[in-house]
Amino acid sequence: MKYISTRGTAPILTFGEAMMTGLARDGGLYVPQTIPVMAREEIAALAGCSYEDIAFKVMRPYLGETFGDDEFRALIAAAYKPFGHLARAPLVQMGPNHFLLELFHGPTLAFKDFAMQLIGQMMQAALAKSGERVTIVGATSGDTGSAAMEAFRGLANVDLFILYPHGRVSEVQRRQMTTPSEANVHAFAVDGDFDDCQARVKDMFNDFAFRDGVQLAGVNSINWARVLAQVVYYFSSAVSLGAPHRAVSFTVPTGNFGDIFAGYIARQMGLPIEKLVIATNHNDILHRALTSGEYRTNGVKPSMSPSMDIQVSSNFERALFHAYGSDGRAIAQLMDEMKSGGFHISQGALESLRSTFASGRCSEEETTATITREYVRTGEILCPHSAVGVKVANEHLGATPMITLATAHPAKFPDAVLDAIGQRPDLPPRMADLFDRRERLTRVPNDLGRLQSLIRERIAS
Ligand SMILES: *Cc1c(COP(=O)(O)O)cnc(C)c1O
């Protein structure tokens, strides 16, 4: 299995190389050259299997020679062992034909753990073999950073630096980033907002001398290995509701389009998914794009579902690549137009996108109202991101079972929940001491040179 860039000119890579590289050198995103299809009988045979077994069967064809079978099984086992639920991704029923896929039982209580836990294990195993050491730098608005700290702490061949906007993450998110005590993980509180953090990380990747000097690697949501790990729970949940004999639909609270793109891959692999519904908060660039054909930014407004507060959706480039018939040159041109604010999606590409995706938007008031209503109707406490999903899913219910992805635990966003139902959700008992642990962080100005010299110092010591 080989990986090509969505912009057509970067080197073709193996799975292991694409995982280590993250962003392609032509600015594009790596995608598999062909998508392996699972036969109906193979999908049917997943029924009753453990999450780990399904993970092995779904991901194996993508790995090429990077890992042996037994080795890969061991990495999967280690990745999902810290989860607080034996089913890993359990389904609960919300209504007659509506199910919630709880993706928040991992060590940092958000779905990011599914991919991050596995990529941590895979990177460490690959580096241990080659004897190399890498420096991972990532920007976060909260969930990615905490998941990465948890997944990489203590790994021998990796130094991890997480940049988060000082004062702009929730207390649970901050503590999850600042309380791991291992010497190879570092939390940097940057004086700026999330876009500043992300811009500084991009600057580091574009500074090829620095990039090669510190062996820079990325684990943000454009990393193909992360997308791949997320394909698994589309299979596990659909099969437990009767796939491949019965089709299902999914609604996905969407920001950078990584999670829902994994659903698209599952559909291309042969899983009978009728519709993938994009659910956005008031930062609705994707909903507007699908409705009007205009992909155009109009700024970010903070919301109570901050992990979906995005200006542009980086993984959407992968969906466009497929919709434009794998034409890298066309994608490079669209992304160039993006610099002046946006572009028009061609009629053919728009029709192709609409044959798979539907979309909806949820305002702040509707988010609160949904948390309240669903608590009364079902007893389930939704986090604000999941509430956005449930609200939009409710507008798309029909004869096909709908699975809505619950992307974070409500205790990660206690203020929004308190507003809606008058009580604070408890942290699961296994992390009840989070507020007693010692914090460790470095406050840094929003300055590329300063960040680079701090990183160089830390990895030398
Ligand atoms: C990251 C995140 C999302 C958005 O996922 P994308 O893959 O960026 O679309 C939604 N909800 C939560 C809780 C998240 O952490």
Side-chain angles (χ1 to χ4, degrees):
M1 173 76 68
K2 293 285 187 223
Y3 292 83
I4 55 173
S5 165
T6 50
R7 301 198 192 168
T9 57
I12 294 175
L13 302 182
T14 65
F15 175 81
E17 291 165 343
M19 171 172 74
M20 289 301 174
T21 304
L23 193 68
R25 283 189 180 240
D26 59 5
L29 279 60
Y30 277 102
V31 287
Q33 209 158 27
T34 54
I35 294 175
V37 173
M38 279 176 83
R40 207 180 146 82
E41 312 78 68
E42 289 178 281
I43 298 173
L46 300 176
C49 290
S50 69
Y51 187 85
E52 283 80 352
D53 276 343
I54 295 175
F56 178 82
K57 289 180 179 137
V58 168
M59 291 189 280
R60 184 69 193 91
Y62 289 91
L63 301 188
E65 309 292 307
T66 306
F67 301 110
D69 285 0
D70 290 344
E71 185 184 17
F72 188 46
R73 280 186 195 282
L75 298 176
I76 293 171
Y80 298 116
K81 191 158 172 271
F83 276 52
H85 198 300
L86 203 54
R88 309 314 180 206
L91 273 176
V92 301
Q93 192 158 5
M94 298 296 282
N97 217 6
H98 188 189
F99 300 82
L100 196 68
L101 181 59
E102 292 187 346
L103 299 176
F104 52 68
H105 295 281
T108 69
L109 307 179
F111 85 89
K112 304 283 195 301
D113 289 324
F114 277 90
M116 209 63 89
Q117 284 291 123
L118 186 65
I119 202 175
Q121 296 297 320
M122 291 195 295
M123 277 194 174
Q124 173 57 33
L127 291 166
K129 274 188 219 174
S130 65
E132 286 170 299
R133 206 183 159 79
V134 296
T135 305
I136 295 173
V137 182
T140 187
S141 56
D143 290 333
T144 300
S146 47
M149 295 291 286
E150 190 61 43
F152 286 90
R153 66 195 176 97
L155 298 184
N157 297 50
V158 180
D159 283 296
L160 173 72
F161 296 86
I162 292 296
L163 278 52
Y164 71 88
H166 177 68
R168 301 193 198 207
V169 298
S170 83
E171 188 170 4
V172 172
Q173 289 174 325
R174 189 193 72 235
R175 286 184 169 275
Q176 285 177 336
M177 291 188 276
T178 57
T179 57
S181 59
E182 288 81 356
N184 72 318
V185 292
H186 313 264
F188 283 179
V190 177
D191 288 315
D193 58 20
F194 170 63
D195 287 330
D196 294 322
C197 296
Q198 201 159 26
R200 295 299 78 73
V201 173
K202 273 217 178 103
D203 292 343
M204 290 186 218
F205 275 91
N206 287 328
D207 178 345
F208 288 142
F210 180 79
R211 179 173 177 167
D212 297 335
V214 303
Q215 290 269 34
L216 200 60
V219 290
N220 61 11
S221 76
I222 58 102
N223 193 305
W224 168 256
R226 277 186 60 186
V227 173
L228 179 61
Q230 293 166 0
V231 175
V232 175
Y233 46 70
Y234 287 90
F235 275 90
S236 68
S237 59
V239 164
S240 55
L241 290 183
H245 315 294
R246 173 161 88 147
V248 298
S249 288
F250 288 91
T251 300
V252 186
T254 296
N256 260 327
F257 210 80
D259 206 4
I260 196 163
F261 188 72
Y264 174 82
I265 295 292
R267 191 174 188 266
Q268 297 293 104
M269 289 176 74
L271 188 66
I273 297 176
E274 193 175 281
K275 270 282 176 314
L276 287 162
V277 184
I278 301 164
T280 74
N281 64 23
H282 59 209
N283 295 300
D284 60 351
I285 179 167
L286 288 166
H287 176 54
R288 284 184 286 114
L290 217 65
T291 322
S292 69
E294 286 297 316
Y295 187 73
R296 203 159 292 282
T297 60
N298 61 1
V300 193
K301 275 189 292 177
S303 78
M304 66 181 90
S305 43
S307 303
M308 294 153 64
D309 289 347
I310 47 99
Q311 168 104 281
V312 295
S313 260
S314 39
N315 275 294
F316 191 54
E317 181 168 340
R318 289 188 160 114
L320 286 169
F321 182 68
H322 281 251
Y324 276 83
S326 306
D327 181 351
R329 204 178 310 167
I331 299 304
Q333 191 178 337
L334 291 180
M335 293 304 142
D336 211 43
E337 288 177 42
M338 197 66 218
K339 289 179 193 146
S340 49
F343 53 81
H344 183 74
I345 303 171
S346 75
Q347 196 54 33
L350 194 59
E351 276 163 25
S352 154
L353 289 167
R354 284 177 180 159
S355 68
T356 307
F357 298 102
S359 66
R361 168 192 202 275
C362 181
S363 70
E364 293 290 277
E365 299 72 36
E366 289 165 334
T367 306
T368 304
T370 303
I371 299 175
T372 313
R373 191 186 58 235
E374 297 299 328
Y375 181 58
V376 172
R377 291 207 311 195
T378 68
E380 182 86 9
I381 303 180
L382 298 170
C383 92
H385 308 78
S386 311
V388 167
V390 166
K391 186 264 176 184
V392 172
N394 280 332
E395 298 163 353
H396 288 84
L397 295 181
T400 307
M402 175 65 79
I403 301 172
T404 299
L405 272 52
T407 49
H409 191 285
K412 239 180 153 169
F413 302 94
D415 297 336
V417 174
L418 179 66
D419 256 4
I421 65 168
Q423 63 184 65
R424 279 179 175 274
D426 291 328
L427 281 170
R430 66 199 153 92
M431 49 191 77
D433 70 338
L434 184 64
F435 288 85
D436 306 326
R437 295 182 207 156
R438 214 173 79 81
E439 290 192 76
R440 191 171 57 96
L441 63 95
T442 308
R443 183 91 180 263
V444 228
N446 175 24
D447 178 273
L448 180 64
R450 184 82 193 98
L451 282 160
Q452 288 178 323
S453 59
L454 258 176
I455 290 171
R456 282 207 186 88
E457 273 166 41
R458 293 278 179 95
I459 60 177
S461 64

